[in-house]
Amino acid sequence: MTACSPHNELEHHFQTYLARVANVLEVTPPVLTKAPPLPSLPAQRELQQQQQRVTAGLLDTLKLGECRLLGLVGEHNSPVGKSQSAAAVLLYHLQFQLGVQECLAAAEDQALKDWLTRVQTQKAPLLPGYHWNMMVAEPEIRAALMPRLRPLRFAQQGGYQETVTAFSLFERLLRLAQGQDEPGPLHARELNQALSGLYDNDYLGQLFYSLHSAAHYLEESLAFLQQLELYDCGPSGRSRAERLRNAMQHYYIRDIQAYLGQIDRQFVQLAPLLEHTLTPPPSQQDALAAYRRYFAQGLDSRVYTRYRERTLEHARLWQRFLARCDISPT
């Protein structure tokens, strides 16, 4: 057997499981190999969308004073505002649209209402693009979306709740950008906290690699366990068959399957958030196609479907063995 990486508990548990089964069968255990690399998140320049600018003349801009929006616009157009992050830019445009909507509801001057309606109509189709640019340009989000080369620990999955909180907010901001949610107060503090929760947080990238590695190790386990299909279940082999079941229960069901069940539930919760927030505009679909196919197509994501297929194959193989040998699974 090869030595397992001290950082790869999943490999260690699979190696132990297969070694115990091999010991009962009196054969040499298989040597597990490293899972191949996963598709990486494309470069920001390949994904970011150029946004059309909506401009207004000085006299028109002064009308925003009646809506108490001049301060917001002035800050955005200042030297500091022009160097804002993609997240801050999205927040500005959402706040502006909310301010325009509130002003429309309160305004009595028809000319002002007509002008505000035109501005609102011009800017509304651009909002999803600002959200998209945040998802592919904000450093904390990009780092979170990058697949890692180490699976999650067995004892704890630090960073999970922060990831759920952040992507839940990103989805809510997307619904606002698409006009699918009732507008409400938007605070920079909430968005900044979500981004802070993703800072130096490898959880999501490790979750991707955990599912990917599990599928890989299950494939290698299945190749080794094929010999159970030919196992002699006669009287002379019954005692050994029961020992095989015990090894499977102790080292796979108790340890590995419990871990897989946990990361499965976590991906199921995150999958719709990733699918919704990482749906690219038409111009960026090709650039993100490979990444999205693996990680952002909900429960049809390749990293998840491959893992589920292998876990079911592994379960069915043991079920056939136990049924043929007339041994209770427990």
Side-chain angles (χ1 to χ4, degrees):
M1 292 192 303
T2 59
C4 299
S5 165
H7 300 302
N8 195 333
E9 288 182 277
L10 184 59
E11 179 187 354
H12 171 75
H13 279 278
F14 265 101
Q15 196 73 73
T16 301
Y17 159 54
L18 296 175
R20 298 298 180 177
V21 171
N23 183 59
V24 176
L25 291 172
E26 299 180 350
V27 297
T28 302
V31 176
L32 295 177
T33 62
K34 187 176 179 63
L38 283 164
S40 184
L41 183 68
Q44 176 182 331
R45 64 180 179 276
E46 297 178 36
L47 297 176
Q48 200 160 3
Q49 179 173 272
Q50 292 297 319
Q51 289 290 86
Q52 176 187 344
R53 290 181 59 83
V54 176
T55 58
L58 177 60
L59 293 178
D60 282 337
T61 302
L62 291 176
K63 296 177 184 177
L64 296 174
E66 300 182 43
C67 301
R68 299 181 181 179
L69 287 171
L70 269 181
L72 179 67
V73 173
E75 182 180 344
H76 176 69
N77 290 330
S78 70
V80 173
K82 289 180 179 179
S83 62
Q84 285 180 321
S85 68
V89 170
L90 168 66
L91 191 64
Y92 159 75
H93 287 287
L94 290 174
Q95 289 174 330
F96 181 88
Q97 285 293 81
L98 177 60
V100 168
Q101 187 163 330
E102 292 174 346
C103 193
L104 271 169
E108 297 180 356
D109 179 25
Q110 189 58 48
L112 175 61
K113 293 175 74 171
D114 290 344
W115 181 77
L116 289 172
T117 299
R118 288 197 299 273
V119 171
Q120 188 181 50
T121 301
Q122 286 178 312
K123 291 181 73 68
L126 304 178
L127 295 179
Y130 290 116
H131 184 279
W132 171 253
N133 283 347
M134 177 188 73
M135 296 302 299
V136 300
E138 201 63 37
E140 291 87 351
I141 301 177
R142 286 192 59 84
L145 292 172
M146 197 68 70
R148 301 298 166 180
L149 295 174
R150 181 186 301 177
L152 292 164
R153 299 289 301 274
F154 268 57
Q156 60 182 2
Q157 285 84 47
Y160 166 65
Q161 194 55 57
E162 293 85 350
T163 303
V164 172
T165 298
F167 280 86
S168 296
L169 175 61
F170 301 156
E171 187 192 35
R172 181 165 70 85
L173 293 177
L174 177 59
R175 293 198 306 269
L176 286 172
Q178 294 173 335
Q180 297 177 358
D181 208 350
E182 285 296 320
L186 296 169
H187 303 292
R189 181 181 177 184
E190 184 180 9
L191 182 53
N192 289 336
Q193 285 179 336
L195 293 173
S196 296
L198 295 181
Y199 179 75
D200 202 22
N201 181 350
D202 291 341
Y203 164 79
L204 186 58
Q206 289 184 349
L207 175 64
F208 292 158
Y209 192 73
S210 297
L211 294 169
H212 176 60
S213 296
H216 177 74
Y217 297 141
L218 281 165
E219 281 184 353
E220 297 191 326
S221 300
L222 285 164
F224 172 72
L225 294 171
Q226 288 302 314
Q227 56 196 294
L228 295 181
E229 304 279 23
L230 303 175
Y231 184 84
D232 182 2
C233 290
S236 62
R238 184 170 182 81
S239 175
R240 182 181 292 181
E242 290 176 344
R243 289 170 57 206
L244 287 168
R245 176 203 57 191
N246 294 343
M248 181 268 294
Q249 286 182 331
H250 187 82
Y251 295 101
Y252 182 81
I253 299 292
R254 192 189 70 174
D255 294 337
I256 298 173
Q257 185 169 289
Y259 168 82
L260 296 183
Q262 188 167 2
I263 65 173
D264 188 302
R265 289 188 294 272
Q266 292 174 358
F267 185 81
V268 167
Q269 183 170 1
L270 282 164
L273 301 177
L274 294 169
E275 182 177 18
H276 296 158
T277 57
L278 291 175
T279 298
S283 58
Q284 267 66 43
Q285 286 180 357
D286 289 346
L288 196 70
Y291 181 93
R292 190 162 184 268
R293 185 166 56 249
Y294 259 81
F295 309 117
Q297 288 190 332
L299 298 184
D300 290 327
S301 300
R302 179 60 177 157
V303 75
Y304 184 72
T305 58
R306 179 168 167 262
Y307 146 79
R308 288 290 296 171
E309 289 165 1
R310 298 303 173 267
T311 56
L312 291 174
E313 287 177 30
H314 180 268
R316 285 193 287 263
L317 186 148
W318 276 106
Q319 287 168 358
R320 288 193 302 270
F321 169 74
L322 296 174
R324 189 164 57 82
C325 292
D326 194 24
I327 294 176
S328 170
T330 58

